[in-house]
Amino acid sequence: MENTFKALLIREENGQFLKQVQQVSLSSLPDHDTLIRVTYSSLNYKDALSATGNKGVTRTFPHVPGIDAVGVVEESSGKLWKKGDQVLVTGFDLGMNTWGGYGQYIRVPGEWIVALPPNLQPQEAMALGTAGFTAGLCVDKLVQAGIKPSDGPIAVSGATGGVGSISLQLLSKLGYQTVGISGKKNTDLQQQLNGTEWLDRQEFTDESKRALLKPRFAGAIDTVGGSVLTTLVRSLQYNGVVAACGMAQSGDLNLTVFPFILNGVSLLGVDSVQASMPVRQRVWNLLANEWKPEQLVSFTKQLTLEELPEQIDQMLAGQTEGRTLVKLW
């Protein structure tokens, strides 16, 4: 094993954040117990924020983003893993303040690591990544809350993004009727998800002060927040459930208590960063087996590290859809 490896390094220079693929030293990695040779990563919105110097995501630079990684254990001084184990890492501090998956190696605590499920190829694991894991957590919230396919349609906001598009695939596979809410129209992804009804986000959003709206959905998965989430909560059927996991539009929530005390609505928060290991293992096993999306690969674009900076800029400009896989070797 060489002493250097290739990585997308983000440097701060005169107030500007520069993205450059270069060789970095293994000694630059943090002093954790397990070294992983990364084969694939993926692109998430949080990665794009980190790559542009967002201090709410990453505090110190130079930095290597990438909140997802799959690969093979190279060495470990801990008791959980051994050389040759196929593993994946999502969440915790990876790619935030711990150098992440946009480098050919990462060094992380063994407690952050999940064994790659036998029925999941490395490319599939990163086509899912944090987005797929979050989608799985959201669907699991609805299932655990007792929402059944026969109860009515499930709405998904931000439906052409990573979490939204995978949520639609998971729900469809489980037999739910799906409604996608998006600001985009007639995209390739929307055409491929032809079993989904599509609503324009602007036309769907209700800015009125009405406490309750016409009941439309048995449940919802929200990645957007703000007025979209308030519209969803007010549009749920009796005992409806929203799993909320994002704030692409806003972190604000302007609601009365009436949907909750008159319609028995539940608003459930979903966090993929600090999810417990038993939850991680259970949801990843579901994603690898009975919940595995059949169209996952067709919604995934594969890039090299050198092609990644341009894709990051496109994501920040709202010009991407589906998932982006990053090949490290």
Side-chain angles (χ1 to χ4, degrees):
M1 185 171 64
E2 298 182 0
N3 291 324
T4 64
F5 63 95
K6 187 167 66 171
L8 177 64
L9 192 69
I10 312 301
R11 295 184 294 109
E12 185 175 6
E13 190 172 292
N14 299 323
Q16 301 293 316
F17 290 89
L18 308 178
K19 305 184 285 287
Q20 185 177 10
V21 176
Q22 61 185 75
Q23 292 289 320
V24 295
S25 171
L26 275 174
S27 62
S28 301
L29 293 174
D31 187 24
H32 294 308
D33 59 41
T34 303
L35 180 69
I36 298 171
R37 182 181 187 269
V38 179
T39 53
Y40 292 93
S41 184
S42 69
L43 176 61
N44 302 277
Y45 192 68
K46 188 178 287 186
D47 300 317
L49 292 177
S50 174
T52 51
N54 186 300
K55 294 299 178 71
V57 178
T58 301
R59 294 187 297 272
T60 58
F61 295 85
H63 178 66
V64 178
I67 62 173
D68 296 338
V70 67
V72 179
V73 172
E74 192 73 29
E75 60 185 40
S76 181
S77 61
K79 297 180 179 179
L80 296 174
W81 308 101
K82 64 181 185 302
K83 182 178 174 64
D85 286 342
Q86 293 195 70
V87 296
L88 63 89
V89 185
T90 65
F92 298 104
D93 191 50
L94 184 71
M96 296 179 66
N97 294 292
T98 299
W99 279 21
Y102 297 165
Q104 292 176 316
Y105 288 93
I106 59 173
R107 195 187 296 274
V108 298
E111 292 79 10
W112 291 6
I113 300 171
V114 175
L116 182 68
N119 291 339
L120 204 61
Q121 295 299 313
Q123 299 95 315
E124 295 172 327
M126 288 297 97
L128 289 164
T130 288
F133 178 56
T134 304
L137 290 171
C138 290
V139 172
D140 189 53
K141 288 278 189 181
L142 298 183
V143 172
Q144 295 295 327
I147 303 298
K148 301 182 294 297
S150 58
D151 291 335
I154 307 297
V156 178
S157 69
T160 58
V163 177
S165 61
I166 296 175
S167 294
L168 289 173
Q169 294 177 72
L170 299 180
L171 290 165
S172 295
K173 180 146 190 181
L174 294 175
Y176 291 90
Q177 179 186 347
T178 55
V179 178
I181 300 167
S182 176
K184 299 176 182 177
K185 298 181 180 180
N186 301 318
T187 68
D188 291 341
L189 187 147
Q190 287 171 318
Q191 292 174 14
Q192 290 180 56
L193 288 168
N194 53 18
T196 293
E197 176 188 351
W198 291 94
L199 299 177
D200 180 83
R201 185 175 65 204
Q202 288 187 328
E203 295 176 2
F204 167 76
T205 304
D206 187 299
E207 301 280 3
S208 73
K209 301 297 184 182
R210 286 179 291 174
L212 298 173
L213 302 172
K214 180 181 177 181
R216 302 176 67 177
F217 312 114
I221 293 173
D222 178 66
T223 71
V224 174
S227 57
V228 173
L229 178 54
T230 63
T231 303
L232 284 170
V233 170
R234 293 180 292 150
S235 301
L236 289 180
Q237 299 169 8
Y238 192 79
N239 282 341
V241 177
V242 178
C245 66
M247 54 178 188
Q249 181 190 73
S250 172
D252 295 334
L253 189 60
N254 185 16
L255 274 174
T256 70
V257 299
F258 291 109
F260 307 105
I261 64 175
L262 296 181
N263 277 356
V265 165
S266 297
L267 176 58
L268 306 179
V270 174
D271 168 59
S272 63
V273 176
Q274 297 293 335
S276 70
M277 194 52 66
V279 169
R280 288 176 184 274
Q281 292 169 335
R282 182 172 62 82
V283 171
W284 274 110
N285 282 329
L286 288 168
L287 292 170
N289 294 285
E290 54 262 46
W291 288 12
K292 190 174 184 179
E294 296 173 358
Q295 296 176 288
L296 182 62
V297 175
S298 63
F299 294 153
T300 304
K301 178 179 183 179
Q302 180 170 301
L303 300 178
T304 63
L305 270 184
E306 288 76 11
E307 296 170 311
L308 189 53
E310 181 179 355
Q311 187 76 359
I312 288 172
D313 294 340
Q314 291 177 3
M315 172 172 275
L316 291 168
Q319 298 171 353
T320 59
E321 62 176 2
R323 295 286 290 148
T324 298
L325 184 69
V326 183
K327 191 175 190 298
L328 273 298
W329 294 87

